[in-house]
RNA sequence: GCGGUUGUGGCGAAGUGGUUAACGCACCGGAUUGUGGUUCCGGCAUUCGUGGGUUCGAGCCCCAUCAACCGCCCCA
């Protein structure tokens, strides 16, 4: 038997309804916030991610699904959404259209070659938004606000919003130097990963879990102490806006995001619900003011976030949130014999044209078994056709909730049903 | 990439070397002729993830392989 590739999943009826529901909520909220959908290809030139996501990141170094096509082009299944959206923004010159900032959203599968575990798939689905063309902290607050609103409107309670500022270029450089100076004397005591991080990206040392109890961690230089006045003011503005929106947050100066393009605002939303396992990050995002230029566009600020649908559904599950997915069928048509079945075929098609959700038996089952099926399908009404009904041009309509059965004339059937579903 | 646990019918799950692989749920059929959700009766795995090996004999032992789950790393 051939079965699905590692780290992928089939989403079957029973679950797919939940996905549809969550997707609908996301789309609706994006429209309320005036974000428009953008759809980009699922694969791109490998170079886009090398430049956009950053050559030093784990994603590019060891997690990309990269392959050569028949013309020997190097292509990569997208590991995240932002690079593609920015590429499209530049290529289609969206910086030139009237409405700025461009507020975009996307929803689709991403691919990373990782060891699967709970909440981490090789193919996973992200909802994301990107706002391009504004460097106003109020739009940072809007992006965060949209994310929080989405979770809360779905019914999640145990949420924790963590924010940080990574500062601008100048802040980061000063901080980087301070980190190197701080950790250099302790280099021998740090784990091998951190020794490498100290060279390539000292910021990441702060994120290390092995060395988190090392004394040098406790008094390590905080980025927030190295922010320029301008960057600091930007961060303060953001906090002011979040306060005004009534959004709770904690500042965590050790919050570091894994992608190279971030600066200024960085944030993550975590679940604090019990039983969530080791992976508690539901979504993350931040500002990426240099990215558009890096990808060949004009100097344009941008901010976005992405959330994992898999983890969102996990969070709903562990918090015991029941999504209002419609489960029951409106009508089930039962026929007693071949002649009645002919009538059933006609009737079912007719009712469907009137937007009534209806089904019938296709296995030639006996009446009793057809009733069982109707029951299992949670049909509200059962329509019964037998010889007598055929003769009199009526159907029996049984309400499965209260058991009451009435004889209904064909010409009255549609309105009769519509009154009861 | 590394470590741990696991893999028996549609699902859950007994079985730890010896004739026909428990049980529960689900499903299908029946309990006098056209009515469901309860009850009763009956049916439902030549086969134990896959491929090798050991043995007179393996679901149970060994090796490999694939997969899932959990953790590390990292992330959404």
């Amino acid at each position: 038997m051939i079965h699905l590739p590692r780290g992928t999943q089939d989403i079957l009826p029973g679950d797919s309804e939940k996905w549809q529901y969550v997707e609908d909520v996301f789309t609706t909220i994006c429209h309320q916030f005036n974000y428009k959908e953008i759809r980009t290809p699922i694969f791109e030139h490998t170079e886009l991610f090398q430049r956009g996501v950053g050559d030093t990141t784990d994603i590019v170094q060891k997690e990309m699904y990269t392959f050569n096509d028949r013309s020997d082009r190097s292509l990569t299944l997208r590991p995240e959404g932002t690079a593609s959206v920015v590429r499209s923004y530049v290529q289609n010159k969206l910086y030139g259209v009237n409405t700025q900032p461009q507020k975009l959203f996307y929803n689709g599968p991403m691919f990373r070659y990782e060891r699967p575990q709970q909440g981490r798939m090789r193919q996973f689905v992200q909802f994301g938004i990107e706002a391009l063309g504004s460097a106003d902290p109020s739009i940072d607050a809007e992006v965060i606000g949209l994310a929080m609103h989405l979770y809360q409107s779905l019914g999640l309670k145990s949420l924790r919003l963590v924010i940080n500022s990574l500062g601008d270029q100048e802040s980061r450089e000063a901080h980087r130097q301070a980190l190197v100076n701080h950790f250099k004397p302790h280099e021998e005591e740090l784990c091998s990963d951190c020794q490498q991080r100290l060279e390539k990206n000292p910021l990441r040392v702060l994120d290390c879990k092995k060395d988190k109890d090392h004394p040098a961690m406790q008094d390590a230089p905080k980025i927030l102490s190295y922010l320029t006045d301008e960057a600091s003011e930007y961060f303060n503005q953001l906090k002011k806006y979040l306060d005004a929106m009534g959004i709770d947050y904690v500042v965590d100066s050790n919050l570091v995001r894994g992608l190279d393009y971030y600066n200024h605002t960085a944030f993550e939303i975590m679940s604090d619900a019990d039983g969530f396992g080791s992976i508690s990050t539901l979504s993350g995002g931040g500002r990426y003011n240099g990215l558009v230029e890096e990808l060949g566009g004009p100097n344009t600020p941008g901010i976005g976030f992405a959330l994992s649908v898999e983890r969102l559904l996990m969070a709903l599950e562990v918090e015991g949130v029941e999504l209002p997915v419609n489960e029951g069928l409106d009508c089930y048509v039962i026929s007693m014999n071949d002649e009645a079945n002919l009538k059933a075929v006609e009737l079912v098609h007719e009712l469907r044209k009137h937007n009534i959700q209806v089904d019938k038996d296709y296995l030639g089952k006996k009446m009793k078994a057809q009733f069982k099926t109707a029951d299992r399908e949670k049909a509200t009404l059962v329509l019964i056709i037998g010889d007598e009904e055929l003769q009199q041009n009526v159907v029996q309509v049984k309400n499965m909730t209260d058991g009451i059965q009435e004889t209904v004339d064909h010409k009255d059937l549609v309105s009769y049903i519509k009154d009861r579903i």
Side-chain angles (χ1 to χ4, degrees):
Chain A
M1 185 181 79
I2 298 173
H3 64 83
L4 52 63
R6 183 150 211 214
T8 64
Q9 62 178 150
D10 296 320
I11 299 165
L12 303 174
D15 279 328
S16 57
E17 293 82 358
K18 294 177 187 167
W19 283 75
Q20 286 167 8
Y21 179 79
V22 164
E23 282 163 4
D24 285 348
V25 169
F26 176 64
T27 305
T28 302
I29 288 176
C30 283
H31 282 131
Q32 284 164 354
F33 281 67
N34 197 30
Y35 284 72
K36 308 275 169 64
E37 185 177 16
I38 182 169
R39 301 193 187 198
T40 64
I42 253 168
F43 57 88
E44 298 270 2
H45 290 292
T46 302
E47 189 190 356
L48 173 66
F49 302 115
Q50 289 170 336
R51 289 194 12 213
V53 177
D55 259 329
T56 67
T57 60
D58 282 4
I59 291 179
V60 171
Q61 284 189 342
K62 53 183 201 190
E63 295 175 359
M64 293 210 298
Y65 270 95
T66 298
F67 59 97
N68 284 4
D69 72 4
R70 288 169 183 272
S71 301
D72 229 26
R73 284 179 280 255
S74 179
L75 302 172
T76 295
L77 300 182
R78 61 182 184 193
E80 57 100 52
T82 303
S84 301
V85 171
V86 171
R87 191 226 84 233
S88 179
Y89 177 86
V90 171
Q91 181 176 342
N92 294 292
K93 297 185 168 59
L94 296 182
Y95 48 80
V97 305
N98 284 332
T99 47
Q100 296 295 337
Q102 278 284 298
K103 306 207 297 183
L104 304 165
F105 76 87
Y106 60 86
N107 166 22
M110 306 294 164
F111 305 85
R112 291 183 201 172
Y113 191 91
E114 297 188 275
R115 188 83 181 260
Q117 58 174 279
Q118 186 174 50
R120 190 172 65 188
M121 298 274 123
R122 289 184 174 180
Q123 174 174 332
F124 58 102
V125 175
Q126 284 190 343
F127 292 164
I129 67 174
E130 312 289 350
L132 291 141
S134 167
D136 189 312
S138 69
I139 204 158
D140 300 40
E142 175 177 287
V143 168
I144 293 171
L146 187 149
M148 291 302 285
H149 178 57
L150 172 61
Y151 288 128
Q152 286 165 346
S153 66
L154 284 167
L156 289 181
K157 300 259 189 294
S158 302
L159 298 168
R160 187 170 80 250
L161 169 64
V162 180
I163 63 171
N164 190 24
S165 173
L166 305 177
D168 49 25
Q169 202 57 42
E170 196 185 330
S171 316
R172 295 183 73 162
E173 192 42 52
H175 181 233
R176 181 195 159 91
Q177 200 52 55
L179 281 172
V180 174
N181 294 343
H182 177 79
F183 282 113
K184 207 68 181 174
H186 306 287
E187 185 167 0
E188 298 298 308
E189 304 150 29
L190 298 174
C191 74
S192 57
D193 283 340
C194 280
Q195 293 180 12
Q196 290 196 358
R197 289 182 183 125
L198 200 50
E199 297 300 317
K200 287 193 289 194
N201 193 350
L203 204 55
R204 292 273 202 85
V205 176
L206 296 177
D207 214 21
C208 182
K209 293 186 178 74
K210 280 188 203 145
D211 291 329
K212 68 169 186 284
D213 295 325
H214 191 284
M217 279 297 186
Q218 310 309 316
D219 56 347
K222 307 288 191 197
I223 177 69
L224 294 178
S225 320
Y226 290 81
L227 294 183
T228 59
D229 289 348
E230 208 180 329
S232 184
E233 177 56 21
Y234 194 94
F235 193 43
N236 287 333
Q237 287 285 317
L238 168 63
K239 289 188 281 190
K240 201 159 78 181
Y241 291 134
L242 289 175
D243 290 339
M245 294 161 82
I247 294 173
D248 293 331
Y249 56 85
V250 295
V251 175
D252 179 354
S253 57
N254 284 346
L255 174 65
V256 176
R257 313 244 51 250
L259 285 62
D260 281 356
Y261 51 60
Y262 287 116
N263 45 54
H264 287 287
T265 308
F267 72 95
E268 277 185 17
I269 298 170
M270 334 268 265
S271 172
D272 286 335
D274 291 337
F276 209 73
S278 64
I279 291 173
S280 59
T281 303
L282 294 175
S283 58
R287 182 159 277 284
Y288 46 82
N289 286 348
L291 185 58
V292 175
E293 201 169 11
E294 171 66 31
L295 294 178
N299 185 0
T300 308
I303 178 164
F305 95 99
L307 70 84
S308 151
V309 181
E310 286 83 359
R311 291 184 189 177
L312 167 58
L313 292 171
M314 270 170 59
L316 291 167
E317 181 81 27
V318 300
E319 286 201 31
V321 176
E322 291 289 334
L323 298 178
V325 290
N326 178 29
E327 293 179 288
L329 200 56
D330 291 340
C331 291
Y332 194 86
V333 178
I334 290 177
S335 47
M336 309 290 301
N337 53 46
D338 286 350
E339 203 184 337
N341 189 48
L342 178 62
K343 190 70 189 172
V345 167
E346 178 192 329
L347 193 58
V348 160
H349 194 63
E350 182 66 24
L351 294 176
R352 287 170 177 165
K353 286 194 285 190
H354 283 91
N355 297 321
I356 294 165
Q357 184 197 25
V358 52
D359 207 354
K360 67 181 281 292
D361 168 67
Y362 296 99
L363 298 175
K365 289 189 185 179
K366 292 179 179 164
M367 183 187 205
K368 195 182 178 81
Q370 292 186 56
F371 258 102
K372 280 194 172 186
T373 305
D375 195 56
R376 210 179 313 116
E377 296 274 359
K378 300 195 183 86
T380 310
L381 301 174
V382 166
L383 314 193
I384 305 146
I385 308 170
D387 288 334
E388 290 175 32
E389 288 77 17
L390 285 173
Q391 277 175 14
Q392 296 166 32
N393 210 31
V394 296
V395 295
Q396 299 293 330
V397 181
K398 179 166 183 176
N399 186 319
M400 295 296 271
T401 322
D402 56 24
I404 293 172
Q405 181 167 316
E406 295 186 272
T407 305
V408 181
D409 204 277
H410 265 131
K411 63 176 165 34
D412 305 324
L413 191 57
V414 169
S415 61
Y416 182 92
I417 291 170
K418 287 201 167 181
D419 285 347
R420 268 150 254 258
I421 56 175

